[in-house]
């Protein structure tokens, strides 16, 4: 029996959730890398499987980061406008 290294995580759940809830373009890149993990591992290309796993994680986290940054900007813009409206109403 061949001594295989442990299968790397595909981060497919992170990829799908980040695509749906966060940023579509980077989430799709994450899904593409996540789907490559299992097939490259089964083909015996363990280094490629590890690289695909790391890329899936990185792109998923980039997607989440973009979404968080967008929400912070959104809250700041509308928060300042809301506070300005309250201040001018008094």
């Amino acid at each position: 029996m061949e001594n295989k290294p442990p299968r790397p995580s595909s981060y497919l759940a992170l990829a799908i959730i980040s695509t749906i809830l966060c940023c579509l373009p980077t989430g799709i890149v994450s899904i593409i890398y996540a789907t490559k993990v299992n097939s490259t591992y089964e083909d015996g290309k363990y280094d490629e499987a590890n690289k695909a796993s790391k890329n899936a994680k990185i792109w998923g986290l980039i997607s989440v980061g973009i979404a968080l940054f967008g929400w912070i900007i959104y809250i700041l813009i509308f928060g300042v406008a809301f506070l300005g409206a309250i201040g001018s109403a008094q």
Side-chain angles (χ1 to χ4, degrees), residues 57-88:
K57 181 180 179 182
I58 288 169
W59 283 104
L61 293 176
I62 287 172
S63 181
V64 171
I66 289 171
L68 288 175
F69 180 74
W71 275 105
I72 290 170
I73 296 299
Y74 179 82
I75 290 169
L76 285 175
I77 289 171
F78 286 101
V80 168
F82 179 73
L83 293 175
I86 290 176
S88 65

Side-chain angles (χ1 to χ4, degrees), residues 10-73:
S10 68
Y11 297 102
L12 187 59
L14 171 65
I16 292 171
I17 291 169
S18 66
T19 302
I20 294 170
L21 299 178
C22 299
C23 183
L24 188 64
T26 55
I28 290 172
V29 174
S30 181
I31 287 176
I32 291 169
Y33 281 116
T35 57
K36 287 182 179 181
V37 173
N38 290 335
S39 61
T40 54
Y41 181 84
E42 291 302 325
D43 290 343
K45 301 174 184 175
Y46 306 121
D47 289 336
E48 285 184 39
N50 281 323
K51 288 178 187 176
S53 174
K54 288 177 186 175
N55 281 329
K57 181 180 179 182
I58 288 169
W59 283 104
L61 293 176
I62 287 172
S63 181
V64 171
I66 289 171
L68 288 175
F69 180 74
W71 275 105
I72 290 170
I73 296 299

